[in-house]
């Protein structure tokens, strides 16, 4: 049976990761639990290392389900990448997410690199946004319709939807990106297909490499394969110190990088 049970365990608890471990440990409970740690605005390499260290210390062998966006927070392309390259940043942030130990929830539109939508006040539906506008515009900016094509209704509906389509999303529609070989959608598909062929990224254990500055570096290892993952989300070229053996540089994932040394 390939079906899995994933839980969203929200509790008033000072140690949510420990509670998650309680619900997933032993092989007779939930298969995995949804984690909220990467829904923060913080996205530095130091923060990612902190999250992974805390997770391992508190949740042990629990199998997490990671997400960088959902229906309650600003889209990751804007929350993390507001000042970054809109064509490259969504790709590297999602590659980071899908290289972690665990399963992944991609929020609708992340595969297109959609930024947070701009929803006018008169179209708001979220009570929090209506109450606290304009200091807090609510959660509707991440809840707008999926853009399937470039029509006024984005291929989502011919009727007026619950929330309006942001016109900035139309050039990023599925229909448009499917016609572009180097689009975010096509490169995301390429990475996912490549990931499915890497046993270490599917089931391998994860070990952080410390003291790597602004790069987020770790290994994934199983019996069949060992992979060194070096993620650079800065937009600048980085040199990562690493004293371990690197036998070859993997290709086919769609990202650049090189190994210098023996």
């Amino acid at each position: 049976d390939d079906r899995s049970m994933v839980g969203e365990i929200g509790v008033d608890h000072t140690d949510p990761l420990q509670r998650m471990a309680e619900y997933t440990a032993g092989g007779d409970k939930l298969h995995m639990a949804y984690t909220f740690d990467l829904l923060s605005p913080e996205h530095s390499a130091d923060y990612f290392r902190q999250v992974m260290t805390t997770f391992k210390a508190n949740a042990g062998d629990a199998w997490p389900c990671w997400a960088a966006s959902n229906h309650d927070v600003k889209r990751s392309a804007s929350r993390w990448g507001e000042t970054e390259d809109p064509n490259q940043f969504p790709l590297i942030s999602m590659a980071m997410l899908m290289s972690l130990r665990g399963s992944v929830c991609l929020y609708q539109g992340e595969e297109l690199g959609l930024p947070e939508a701009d929803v006018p006040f008169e179209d708001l539906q979220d009570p929090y946004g209506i109450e606290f506008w304009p200091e807090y515009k609510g959660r509707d900016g991440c809840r707008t319709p999926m853009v399937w094509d470039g029509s006024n209704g984005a291929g989502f509906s011919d009727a007026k939807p619950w929330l309006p389509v942001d016109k900035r999303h139309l050039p990023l529609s599925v229909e448009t990106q499917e016609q572009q070989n180097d689009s975010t959608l096509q490169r995301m598909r390429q990475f996912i297909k490549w990931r499915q062929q890497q046993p270490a990224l599917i089931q391998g254990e994860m070990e952080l490499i410390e003291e790597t500055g602004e790069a987020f570096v770790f290994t994934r290892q199983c019996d069949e394969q060992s992979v060194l993952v070096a993620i650079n989300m800065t937009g600048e070229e980085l040199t990562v110190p690493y004293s371990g053996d690197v036998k070859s540089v993997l290709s086919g994932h769609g990202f650049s990088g090189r190994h210098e040394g023996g």
Side-chain angles (χ1 to χ4, degrees):
D1 192 339
D2 293 331
R3 293 174 295 180
S4 296
M5 290 289 291
V6 56
E8 182 174 334
I9 304 168
V11 293
D12 290 328
H13 196 271
T14 57
D15 197 350
L17 289 176
Q18 180 60 39
R19 181 59 59 88
M20 189 192 83
E22 293 171 4
Y23 274 76
T24 57
D28 58 350
K29 305 178 185 71
L30 298 174
H31 295 95
M32 69 185 94
Y34 190 67
T35 57
F36 298 90
D37 303 82
L38 300 184
L39 301 180
S40 163
E42 180 60 60
H43 62 286
S44 66
D46 281 340
Y47 179 72
F48 292 149
R49 283 189 285 266
Q50 173 192 323
V51 168
M52 299 306 144
T53 299
T54 302
F55 180 89
K56 187 171 184 178
N58 289 274
D61 292 333
W63 190 260
C65 184
W66 302 105
S69 291
N70 70 10
H71 59 275
D72 283 329
V73 298
K74 184 182 288 188
R75 286 182 175 275
S76 60
S78 296
R79 191 178 77 255
W80 287 352
E82 187 171 19
T83 61
E84 307 292 346
D85 184 334
N87 296 314
Q88 299 299 325
F89 186 86
L91 289 162
I92 192 64
S93 62
M94 291 301 99
M96 181 279 295
L97 190 72
M98 290 187 283
S99 296
L100 300 175
R101 176 184 174 273
S103 299
V104 173
C105 279
L106 288 184
Y107 186 57
Q108 58 92 358
E110 280 189 296
E111 73 279 22
L112 304 177
L114 295 187
E116 183 79 350
D118 183 16
V119 180
F121 177 79
E122 59 270 19
D123 290 325
L124 286 182
Q125 302 292 342
D126 184 9
Y128 293 106
I130 295 171
E131 177 69 22
F132 298 109
W133 180 279
E135 288 79 12
Y136 176 61
K137 297 184 178 181
R139 300 162 293 180
D140 287 335
C142 65
R143 299 175 173 183
T144 56
M146 178 69 175
V147 284
W148 297 103
D149 60 36
S151 65
N152 287 334
F156 180 82
S157 175
D158 293 330
K160 182 181 179 180
W162 180 251
L163 290 168
V165 175
D166 189 325
K167 300 302 182 185
R168 297 175 306 157
H169 286 182
L170 295 179
L172 300 174
S173 73
V174 174
E175 181 182 64
T176 297
Q177 293 202 38
E178 283 189 331
Q179 299 172 21
Q180 302 166 342
N181 292 333
D182 200 40
S183 69
T184 300
L185 175 61
Q186 299 286 32
R187 291 183 62 189
M188 285 281 281
R189 286 172 171 166
Q190 176 186 352
F191 183 82
I192 291 171
K193 182 177 180 179
W194 175 84
R195 177 183 180 272
Q196 291 171 337
Q197 300 167 356
Q198 313 306 317
L201 296 185
I202 299 298
Q203 60 188 13
E205 294 300 314
M206 178 175 172
E207 192 70 35
L208 285 176
I209 307 298
E210 303 287 353
E211 307 299 331
T212 54
E214 293 182 283
F216 180 39
V217 185
F218 52 91
T219 60
R220 297 289 311 279
Q221 185 168 348
C222 64
D223 290 342
E224 299 94 332
Q225 185 186 41
S226 179
V227 174
L228 174 70
V229 180
I231 302 291
N232 174 13
M233 292 171 60
T234 68
E236 306 294 333
E237 185 171 316
L238 292 178
T239 298
V240 179
Y242 180 67
S243 58
D245 292 332
V246 178
K247 295 183 178 179
S248 63
V249 177
L250 296 176
S251 60
H253 43 65
F255 295 93
S256 62
R258 64 183 182 274
H259 173 242
E260 297 179 355

